[in-house]
Amino acid sequence: MAGFSLLIRDGLVLLDGGDPHQPVRTDILVRDGVIAAIGDQAIADAETEPDVTELNAAGKLVSPGFINAHYHSHDTLAKGLMEQKPLETWRLLALPPQYPKRSREEIKARTLLGALECLRSGMTTVQDMVTLYPFDEEHLDAVLEAYDEIGLRAVVALQYADIKGINTIPFWKEVFPEELHGQLSTAAEPDARIDQLGYFEDTFLKHPDKFERITWALGPSAPERCTSALIGRTVDLSATYDLPIFTHIYESKGMALQARMEYPEHGGSLIRRLNEEGLLGPRLNLAHSVWLQDEEIALLGETGTNVVINPLSNMKLKSGIPPILELQKAGVSLALGCDNCSCSDAQNIFQAMKLFGLMVHISHDQDLTPQAEAAFGAATTGGAHAVNRDADLGRIKVGARGDLVLFDLTDPSFVPLNSAVRQIVYTEGGRGVHTVIVDGRVVIEDGALKTMDQARLLDDIKAVVPQFREDYAAIEKRVEKLQPYLDEAHRRIWAADVGGNRLFTGH
């Protein structure tokens, strides 16, 4: 990128700190991937540049690039395979511990597929909490190659755990016959063949800057799947290398019930456990957080811990509606994620933003707090905060990275342009995304991928689909035989009292 400048001319720009409803017409100069000047200064500086590419943004709305702050690339081939499933059943159908070891070709192809969909939705950064099971160094290399080649900014976290899944879900051990226990798993399972954290530190953290747009995070799968020793290692690595941490918490009622049953010494609270173990704080991001209690929300606010809302998967997996308004009132920084393709079916930030706002509206009958700006903020500045990039992502200002989205203002979604932020959140569905720029480089133009041969990319994906479908069919048959036991465990979970309700059940 050194020596490259891009001048974006005459767009309606949602400037940092500006009017979110009526953007200003201005120009932006991006030099070496960084916004160097805005307005008249951009034109003046561009005239002195030896080599400037000019992009005509007349008739375009210019927004900060969106940030998908909770995403898993490992199941992008599974979109559209399932109707609604409870979380615990879905895990057995979709997640890597259930599958035979994948090929390197499949892992690279599926990562590229997810990245392409994210880019087409205006996302310029993703936090990929990827499970590679069984772990293979070549598989991680394939993930990194994919992001590097397609041009999407990625914050990669290997998902890890050291407690078997069957020990972390209420009633599974009692309900399932012992001979079936080996068929049960969750999002990440212990892998005794390798110390993933040690490998990760030695290979990548001690040798930074191997990739231009790839940075790192830590991914303890969920606190109940991690011993205190593993949480301690996570805390130490995060402090040593200033890394954000992403984990799942209270996604389903079953996860909340597990905390009540497993941690009496912490008042049945995972949040209290994590606070005592030193994990809570500004570097920690709790994905989902649906079944939080009031005192836990207050503790998140006090410690500066962040939450990533995932409305698409929370609804399809029957997990419930997260306490968004309560978290906002507690001062908790919120980011937004699209989660797995197998349970959200779409890496579509516009669907996620819209549901973010509508969930608040439908779950608080007396509250009229506007949510469009909050949803847009969760997808931009909130995501930047989650990945520890407040200074240079999620905003259009001098010094920020040149990560931008240009919307076509002739699209019906923006005619008439009454409020840019409300129409992005409530009207746009992705159709109006015209140009996506990452680090000052045009990655999507007029809806087409510019960094790779898209037809060849799609051919590579098609080549790996038959084997994936064959394996999925076998897994689906296996889970059908487990279904009576799964149903009984779910009945017991749903009948239990966890001190609140996040489901609309008609009661």
Side-chain angles (χ1 to χ4, degrees), residues 233-250:
R233 289 186 68 189
T234 300
V235 172
D236 291 344
L237 279 175
S238 175
T240 300
Y241 296 99
D242 193 24
L243 296 178
I245 305 166
F246 291 83
T247 192
H248 303 85
I249 203 162
Y250 293 162

Side-chain angles (χ1 to χ4, degrees), residues 89-354:
T89 298
W90 163 80
R91 285 175 179 150
L92 296 179
L93 289 162
L95 300 187
Q98 286 289 314
Y99 283 74
K101 185 176 180 179
R102 313 320 292 163
S103 69
R104 191 186 196 281
E105 291 76 17
E106 179 182 311
I107 287 173
K108 186 167 182 179
R110 77 191 188 190
T111 307
L112 287 169
L113 175 62
L116 175 59
E117 187 176 2
C118 288
L119 286 166
R120 288 288 301 273
S121 182
M123 300 181 215
T124 54
T125 299
V126 297
Q127 193 287 301
D128 186 359
M129 192 176 180
V130 61
T131 301
L132 299 173
Y133 186 91
F135 182 78
D136 187 318
E137 298 173 17
E138 280 290 305
H139 289 178
L140 180 55
D141 289 343
V143 171
L144 303 180
E145 284 175 16
Y147 285 126
D148 188 51
E149 290 171 16
I150 202 167
L152 177 64
R153 191 183 305 282
V155 182
V156 177
L158 288 170
Q159 189 168 189
Y160 53 84
D162 63 350
I163 298 175
K164 287 186 176 182
I166 190 173
N167 297 320
T168 67
I169 298 178
F171 310 120
W172 270 18
K173 279 188 137 178
E174 303 97 297
V175 166
F176 284 90
E178 189 171 352
E179 63 268 21
L180 297 179
H181 286 188
Q183 298 182 33
L184 304 176
S185 65
T186 57
E189 293 290 312
D191 190 342
R193 300 171 308 103
I194 187 170
D195 175 7
Q196 280 195 50
L197 277 182
Y199 169 79
F200 174 53
E201 182 180 19
D202 291 342
T203 307
F204 297 103
L205 299 184
K206 292 179 179 178
H207 308 281
D209 302 326
K210 184 177 181 181
F211 296 96
E212 191 174 5
R213 288 172 302 277
I214 296 173
T215 55
W216 302 101
L218 296 165
S221 181
E224 67 270 22
R225 297 192 279 272
C226 298
T227 61
S228 293
L230 188 57
I231 293 294
R233 289 186 68 189
T234 300
V235 172
D236 291 344
L237 279 175
S238 175
T240 300
Y241 296 99
D242 193 24
L243 296 178
I245 305 166
F246 291 83
T247 192
H248 303 85
I249 203 162
Y250 293 162
E251 182 175 357
S252 69
K253 185 177 182 179
M255 293 171 76
L257 179 60
Q258 178 70 11
R260 307 292 183 268
M261 297 167 65
E262 188 73 16
Y263 304 110
E265 71 276 23
H266 302 294
S269 169
L270 270 171
I271 300 299
R272 291 196 195 101
R273 175 199 158 186
L274 296 184
N275 191 43
E276 291 184 21
E277 292 176 339
L279 194 64
L280 296 190
R283 284 194 291 264
L284 178 63
N285 299 273
L286 300 174
H288 303 290
S289 304
V290 175
W291 291 82
L292 288 167
Q293 296 182 309
D294 290 345
E295 60 268 26
E296 293 176 318
I297 293 172
L299 188 53
L300 298 184
E302 291 167 11
T303 56
T305 303
N306 315 304
V307 166
V308 186
I309 302 295
N310 295 270
L312 298 165
S313 58
N314 289 165
M315 296 184 78
K316 190 168 182 183
L317 296 180
K318 305 172 77 69
S319 295
I321 294 180
I324 296 172
L325 188 64
E326 292 83 352
L327 288 162
Q328 290 172 338
K329 289 180 177 179
V332 175
S333 179
L334 301 181
L336 196 59
C338 295
D339 210 358
N340 297 69
C341 286
S342 62
C343 61
S344 68
D345 297 286
Q347 296 307 311
N348 188 310
I349 201 70
F350 306 103
Q351 290 183 6
M353 284 190 286
K354 187 169 186 172

